[in-house]
Amino acid sequence: MKQIHVTEDNAGQRLDKLLLRYMREAPKSFMYKMLRKKNITLNGKKADGRELVQPGDEVTLFISDETWRKFGGTEEVHANMAGSPSILHCPSMSPAAGKQKVPALVPGVKPPDIVYQDEHILLFNKPSGMLSQKAGADDVSLMEYLEAYLLLNGCLSEEQMRLVRPSICNRLDRNTSGLLAAGISLAGLQTLNRLFRERSVRKFYRCIVSGILTGEGHLHGFLVKNTKTNTVSVRENMAEDAKPIETAYRVLSAENGLSLLEVHLITGRSHQIRAHLASIGHPILGDRKYGDPALNEVYLRSYGVRSQLLHAYRMEFPQIEGRLSYLSGKHFTACEPELFRRVLRADRR
């Protein structure tokens, strides 16, 4: 017999999800069969797996040690579950930007900076050129940096990471820099995923575009994606498979043929900001898909601009209920890359 004691750190999830964290190698059919036969019970009663577990609940598994080990459970997990060291007590966590260093996993590639961290979430400033999540088996993405950082600095053990897998909860294109949010506790993952799914986190970007703009603008349109070319197009009217998009901007500075914009991404579609600005004749500098090839070539030779100068600058959290309520109304910013300043300084001469 094995027992899992539900704590604050793993409460609030469905029973079947909790069980699969302990028995990763078990077929789902095996788990549901065990539930039907009452070989797995919740607080001594039959369960079907859809129940949301609460702190203090006890899950009992009437299985052999051999089966427990075979499907991924260990004696250590069972023995330590009730009073295991929690990421809530991670010594390196603090509301300020982390002082611990993110390991350099790829030679010559600058690791991401940490903007904010606490026991539930971590905010990175991702450099341009880094994947948010793996696209291929051999890729090194921000996910790998996240896991390496948490393990290296003693925030999580391998065993804890096995039960609650930290994850990046929003995405940026490889060549877009800026703020990315990761959940590192179950509460953090659930809350961030819900907020991004509901689009209640306000996201602001900064970018340098070709041409002179003034004041503010509010753009509407419909976006159509071409999956073969991985590009999108913006149309004024609804079309088949098109999705409505909305983008707002304000001009921060404009001179010498370039404008620095702050953009509010109201809807979050693929390549939305890049395609929307290009559709009004002001493509982002350095954008190889939607930009001005001749202008891009000039800034590549003169300043080393190899990709779009688009940066996820600020995140604003809404009112939040529950364990992450302390984040309600908080704003977080990540400074633009130095390349932004070099281009703008040079054009002021």
Side-chain angles (χ1 to χ4, degrees):
M1 182 182 78
K2 305 295 176 187
Q3 282 192 317
I4 300 171
H5 304 285
V6 180
T7 68
E8 287 282 349
D9 288 342
N10 54 20
Q13 61 184 308
R14 283 174 45 140
L15 173 60
D16 53 2
K17 301 292 185 186
L18 176 70
L19 289 168
L20 288 171
R21 293 182 187 278
Y22 281 89
M23 299 190 294
R24 291 183 181 274
E25 303 302 320
K28 289 184 179 180
S29 57
F30 168 82
M31 184 189 67
Y32 289 121
K33 180 180 178 181
M34 296 287 283
L35 286 165
R36 286 196 306 271
K37 292 190 171 185
K38 288 186 69 174
N39 288 332
I40 300 177
T41 62
L42 176 62
N43 297 323
K45 298 178 181 179
K46 186 176 181 179
D48 62 15
R50 291 177 293 181
E51 298 82 359
L52 292 179
V53 296
Q54 303 300 325
D57 283 349
E58 287 200 358
V59 181
T60 304
L61 300 88
F62 296 94
I63 61 176
S64 67
D65 290 347
E66 181 181 359
T67 301
W68 178 253
R69 288 191 293 269
K70 174 184 175 183
F71 290 140
T74 66
E75 292 292 341
E76 180 183 358
V77 172
H78 168 245
N80 291 339
M81 193 59 225
S84 63
S86 161
I87 62 175
L88 294 173
H89 302 106
C90 170
S92 67
M93 293 293 183
S94 71
K99 294 182 180 179
Q100 307 291 339
K101 288 190 176 182
V102 181
L105 299 182
V106 180
V109 176
K110 179 183 179 295
D113 294 324
I114 294 174
V115 174
Y116 173 87
Q117 58 184 119
D118 63 29
E119 64 262 39
H120 297 299
I121 74 166
L122 194 152
L123 303 182
F124 282 110
N125 185 0
K126 181 187 85 69
S128 174
M130 182 179 290
L131 288 166
S132 300
Q133 297 182 344
K134 279 191 174 193
D138 296 330
D139 290 334
V140 175
S141 70
L142 192 61
M143 276 292 300
E144 282 64 55
Y145 282 93
L146 171 65
E147 294 174 1
Y149 170 80
L150 294 172
L151 288 169
L152 179 67
N153 293 296
C155 303
L156 285 178
S157 66
E158 292 276 6
E159 196 60 57
Q160 288 168 319
M161 196 173 288
R162 179 174 164 273
L163 299 179
V164 179
R165 198 74 176 181
S167 183
I168 305 299
C169 298
N170 63 318
R171 292 193 182 193
L172 295 174
D173 292 338
R174 179 198 286 263
N175 292 321
T176 298
S177 58
L179 279 172
L180 279 173
I184 54 178
S185 71
L186 183 62
L189 286 165
Q190 290 176 333
T191 302
L192 285 179
N193 283 329
R194 175 178 59 81
L195 293 176
F196 286 118
R197 185 172 63 250
E198 296 172 350
R199 296 179 184 167
S200 57
V201 177
R202 285 163 55 89
K203 292 178 281 187
F204 295 83
Y205 291 68
R206 289 194 173 178
C207 60
I208 299 175
V209 301
S210 68
I212 298 297
L213 285 163
T214 59
E216 299 180 354
H218 202 126
L219 308 177
H220 296 266
F222 297 89
L223 185 144
V224 178
K225 185 169 186 178
N226 185 329
T227 54
K228 291 182 179 179
T229 61
N230 191 30
T231 58
V232 301
S233 58
V234 177
R235 304 184 183 182
E236 292 185 2
N237 301 309
M238 186 63 181
E240 185 180 357
D241 298 327
K243 295 180 179 179
I245 56 173
E246 188 174 357
T247 311
Y249 68 84
R250 67 185 181 97
V251 179
L252 301 178
S253 66
E255 54 186 303
N256 298 320
L258 296 178
S259 298
L260 173 65
L261 308 183
E262 180 164 286
V263 179
H264 179 198
L265 183 63
I266 299 172
T267 54
R269 309 295 185 192
S270 178
H271 298 184
Q272 177 181 322
I273 295 175
R274 297 163 62 188
H276 220 168
L277 291 173
S279 75
I280 63 169
H282 295 281
I284 296 175
L285 188 64
D287 194 332
R288 301 294 163 182
K289 286 190 175 181
Y290 308 102
D292 179 335
L295 188 64
N296 288 345
E297 186 62 28
V298 169
Y299 278 87
L300 171 62
R301 291 197 309 267
S302 301
Y303 305 104
V305 177
R306 290 180 168 79
S307 58
Q308 65 266 12
L309 294 184
L310 177 63
H311 177 77
Y313 177 73
R314 187 167 79 252
M315 254 182 217
E316 299 180 356
F317 284 95
Q319 189 66 32
I320 303 171
E321 302 295 330
R323 294 179 69 185
L324 271 67
S325 61
Y326 61 89
L327 290 173
S328 294
K330 294 286 180 65
H331 298 182
F332 299 95
T333 60
C335 290
E336 306 98 318
E338 175 60 25
L339 184 57
F340 272 63
R341 290 182 280 278
R342 286 211 313 270
V343 169
L344 291 172
R345 279 199 304 267
D347 279 353
R348 289 196 186 102
R349 293 172 186 167

